[in-house]
Amino acid sequence: MAMTTNARSVNLIRSLNSSFHFAQTTTLVNTTTTTILNIPHSPQPQQTTSDQVYGFVDTKRLFSSVNTCKLIRSTVNLSVASMEPVVDLGMWVMSSRLMEVGLVKKMVLGVIKHTVYEHFVAGADTGEVNRTVKKLWESGCDAMSHHSTVLLFHVSPPLSLDRLDSTLVSTRSRMGTSGLLASGGFDKGNGHSRSMLTRDLGPYPFTVDDESCDKNSQPILKTVESTQFLPPSSFRGGEDHSDFPVSLLKRVSGLLRWEYKNPSSYPLQWKRKTLPIFAECSAFYHTLQKPSPLTTTEEHDLELVHKRLTTICDKALESNVPVVIDAEDTSIQPGIDCFTYWATVKYNKGTKPLVYGTVQAYLKDAGQRLFETKKAADKMGLPIGFKLVRGAYMSSERKLAHSLGVESPIHNSINDTHHCFNECASYMLDEVSSGPGGLILATHNLKSGKMAARKARDLGIGKDSDKLEFASLYGMADAMSFGLRNAGFGVSKYLPFGPVSEIMPYLLRRAEENKGLLSSSNLDRHLMMQATCILLCIHNCF
């Protein structure tokens, strides 16, 4: 086994070195082809159809854990969501000044609460969420939840969906975090004490000062503490970036980039022990000039970030709740990875990770960074945990690169992104099947789920191993989730929660993603209708 792994590692390094070349020039690079991660393939398991993995034929068994009333409501909600004129009208009303009229707002929110809110949101407060979590646990699924008031929607999986294809890509954030995390197809919602920034996908908040960060830490801690009242293993913890001031993330990211490209320039005295953050093919165009050192105030703020993250991780360790830190765009991702891998070094012990980082497969350097981080963790004896997503900032990343005259960090085609995601998943499954670590596959993509499930089954990875978990948004890809659950895999649902008025950005995104016959929920609608008809027929017979 060791010989096979070493051979795969050497081949991977060679393929990555030859495949990934990032143009760091000031002239526009027009590429006509894209090279992608080329991880050597292991012997493939016997081919099966997706239905042999998911069991879609037996819809009665597929939705056996869903009561008939809930199934009917879900079918109706998804059917209405497929009517584009209805959704377009609803989105227009919710975004218009009509919502400033008290009576109109009350009526609209009332309709929303009993339709899309009911389908896509776990509840208004932690009490309602706990009831939802228990229902999910009884149905064989775990839960991940986030409060809307500290929501970071990537108007991303968040929540701002930079749609990579017609299939929504989700991320796996786990319960106990302060907001919707994501990268790959969700939104970023609203929060208090934050400035609103605007991206091509929509508005989302970033925390801008330490006071806001301190406030945002409290819902995380409260959510983690609430796990003691829930069934064992029904809860997962998570972490967004509401504890990290965005200005500090940008400054830290710039200094880390400069240090990597100019290691002899000056040491970063504030940098703590971490894991590899960059690969040679990573994007460095954000930092074209030597940045100034951190000020005394910034170093103080950096220390506060470490303290907040330490408090959260200590509480998660005490409650046995994993912490999953999400990904953002390339301008601040190095800073996020620096904090994530510092926590990984400090808290990941034994064979099971406490802290998980996130890798976005739509980035050209994703495969090489994942590989180098995994190997560095192996050398240090650390169990590394990755959440694998596709990515949420496709349009904005490309626009920025184009404006600077450099090559985009995003794969040139959706097929390249799919291939990178699947190859990274395959590589990590091989690694965790015979060693420490964990993998969260956050996806609504049936093909990716099927390929990973087949390989995991072939490697003997099941629900009891804690090595692999599939994750998706609450109310999305339910057929896929229940199919994987029935096949014996660990499945988690991502639970946004909060009052209707505060979670509107998330609902707008969900409505946009689910409208039309070609949306990712079309399969759910079709299978739910079949199951509903079967159950109603059985009911009438008796």
Side-chain angles (χ1 to χ4, degrees):
M1 181 64 192
M3 186 177 297
T4 302
T5 302
N6 290 337
R8 283 168 54 82
S9 301
V10 171
N11 290 337
L12 176 59
I13 289 279
R14 290 173 178 170
S15 66
L16 288 169
N17 287 337
S18 61
S19 296
F20 292 104
H21 177 65
F22 216 93
Q24 302 298 324
T25 64
T26 56
T27 57
L28 179 62
V29 178
N30 293 315
T31 54
T32 56
T33 60
T34 303
T35 52
I36 55 180
L37 179 65
N38 185 24
I39 297 177
H41 291 281
S42 302
Q44 293 297 308
Q46 182 179 357
Q47 295 292 314
T48 61
T49 66
S50 61
D51 195 60
Q52 286 177 296
V53 172
Y54 296 121
F56 289 156
V57 171
D58 189 352
T59 54
K60 184 174 180 293
R61 178 173 180 267
L62 186 67
F63 296 104
S64 60
S65 59
V66 184
N67 66 57
T68 304
C69 290
K70 170 70 172 175
L71 194 60
I72 293 174
R73 291 197 303 271
S74 296
T75 303
V76 172
N77 285 331
L78 288 177
S79 297
V80 172
S82 69
M83 302 176 185
E84 295 194 42
V86 174
V87 175
D88 289 340
L89 176 62
M91 293 179 67
W92 177 83
V93 171
M94 288 188 287
S95 303
S96 72
R97 300 189 65 177
L98 289 173
M99 295 297 288
E100 298 176 8
V101 180
L103 181 59
V104 173
K105 181 178 181 179
K106 184 177 181 180
M107 292 175 59
V108 171
L109 293 183
V111 172
I112 290 172
K113 181 174 177 61
H114 296 290
T115 53
V116 291
Y117 178 91
E118 178 186 81
H119 186 82
F120 295 114
V121 182
D125 52 38
T126 54
E128 292 183 7
V129 172
N130 286 348
R131 288 191 287 273
T132 302
V133 171
K134 289 179 180 178
K135 290 179 181 178
L136 285 173
W137 180 76
E138 291 169 355
S139 71
C141 297
D142 290 340
M144 313 160 276
S145 95
H146 305 280
H147 193 285
S148 67
T149 59
V150 283
L151 214 57
L152 281 183
F153 291 175
H154 294 185
V155 160
S156 117
L159 304 194
S160 69
L161 172 69
D162 250 80
R163 187 181 295 271
L164 294 178
D165 64 351
S166 59
T167 302
L168 200 217
V169 183
S170 112
T171 68
R172 162 175 197 131
S173 75
R174 303 202 193 174
M175 193 148 187
T177 117
S178 64
L180 279 179
L181 319 172
S183 29
F186 312 5
D187 284 13
K188 293 206 160 183
N190 82 350
H192 31 221
S193 301
R194 307 195 192 184
S195 338
M196 297 299 293
L197 306 180
T198 302
R199 294 213 169 183
D200 54 327
L201 298 174
Y204 69 96
F206 268 119
T207 309
V208 296
D209 55 45
D210 287 312
E211 182 181 358
S212 299
C213 290
D214 289 335
K215 289 181 180 179
N216 290 335
S217 297
Q218 298 311 308
I220 304 178
L221 297 172
K222 288 180 65 177
T223 312
V224 174
E225 290 171 354
S226 70
T227 61
Q228 61 182 302
F229 305 111
L230 296 172
S233 302
S234 67
F235 207 85
R236 296 292 181 271
E239 165 68 30
D240 63 12
H241 314 124
S242 55
D243 295 327
F244 307 161
V246 65
S247 59
L248 183 61
L249 286 174
K250 287 184 177 180
R251 290 279 285 128
V252 168
S253 296
L255 288 163
L256 290 169
R257 277 189 288 264
W258 192 263
E259 180 200 42
Y260 182 86
K261 299 300 288 185
N262 306 274
S264 61
S265 57
Y266 55 79
L268 302 178
Q269 300 294 343
W270 45 263
K271 184 179 178 182
R272 303 191 182 189
K273 191 173 184 179
T274 184
L275 295 169
I277 295 171
F278 301 104
E280 282 299 318
C281 55
S282 296
F284 295 98
Y285 53 77
H286 298 284
T287 308
L288 300 177
Q289 296 180 340
K290 183 178 180 178
S292 60
L294 293 183
T295 64
T296 303
T297 300
E298 288 172 330
E299 289 193 10
H300 173 70
D301 291 344
L302 187 66
E303 183 64 26
L304 292 178
V305 171
H306 282 112
K307 287 182 178 179
R308 281 189 289 266
L309 187 53
T310 296
T311 300
I312 292 169
C313 289
D314 285 344
K315 179 61 67 174
L317 181 63
E318 177 186 331
S319 303
N320 193 29
V321 177
V323 175
V324 184
I325 301 178
D326 197 46
E328 292 291 342
D329 62 61
T330 55
S331 69
I332 60 174
Q333 188 58 43
I336 294 170
D337 285 340
C338 184
F339 291 121
T340 301
Y341 295 144
W342 165 76
T344 296
V345 171
K346 183 174 181 178
Y347 288 96
N348 285 15
K349 310 295 180 184
T351 61
K352 184 179 178 182
L354 176 76
V355 178
Y356 285 71
T358 298
V359 173
Q360 300 181 93
Y362 75 165
L363 294 173
K364 293 176 181 177
D365 70 341
Q368 188 170 351
R369 283 191 295 108
L370 180 146
F371 172 80
E372 292 182 4
T373 303
K374 176 66 172 70
K375 290 309 168 188
D378 288 346
K379 288 181 180 179
M380 296 173 66
L382 301 175
I384 190 74
F386 288 113
K387 176 180 71 175
L388 186 60
V389 303
R390 278 175 168 79
Y393 297 106
M394 180 176 66
S395 298
S396 56
E397 294 279 17
R398 285 177 171 167
K399 287 178 182 177
L400 176 59
H402 184 274
S403 69
L404 296 174
V406 297
E407 183 180 350
S408 170
I410 307 298
H411 285 306
N412 288 1
S413 73
I414 181 59
N415 287 332
D416 290 348
T417 296
H418 289 331
H419 181 70
C420 183
F421 183 95
N422 294 333
E423 290 296 285
C424 286
S426 178
Y427 170 72
M428 280 302 298
L429 286 172
D430 280 332
E431 292 293 304
V432 302
S433 68
S434 57
L439 178 64
I440 299 166
L441 292 178
T443 182
H444 296 173
N445 186 296
L446 287 172
K447 185 175 181 180
S448 292
K450 177 185 68 174
M451 292 174 66
R454 286 205 318 248
K455 176 148 192 169
R457 182 182 291 170
D458 190 58
L459 293 170
I461 300 175
K463 186 170 185 177
D464 295 332
S465 70
D466 282 333
K467 298 286 188 178
L468 170 67
E469 189 154 356
F470 292 91
S472 58
L473 287 170
Y474 184 66
M476 298 282 287
D478 285 343
M480 176 179 172
S481 297
F482 290 136
L484 289 168
R485 172 206 62 186
N486 291 345
F489 295 103
V491 176
S492 291
K493 301 299 285 186
Y494 176 90
L495 307 180
F497 69 98
V500 182
S501 58
E502 295 178 3
I503 207 163
M504 289 295 293
Y506 179 73
L507 294 176
L508 287 170
R509 177 52 55 187
R510 296 286 73 76
E512 176 66 24
E513 289 165 355
N514 284 278
K515 71 177 183 179
L517 296 176
L518 297 180
S519 79
S520 59
S521 291
N522 188 40
L523 177 64
D524 279 355
R525 291 195 300 271
H526 175 71
L527 294 176
M528 284 180 179
M529 285 180 184
Q530 285 189 2
T532 300
C533 290
I534 292 173
L535 291 173
L536 291 177
C537 287
I538 293 175
H539 178 76
N540 290 334
C541 289
F542 291 91

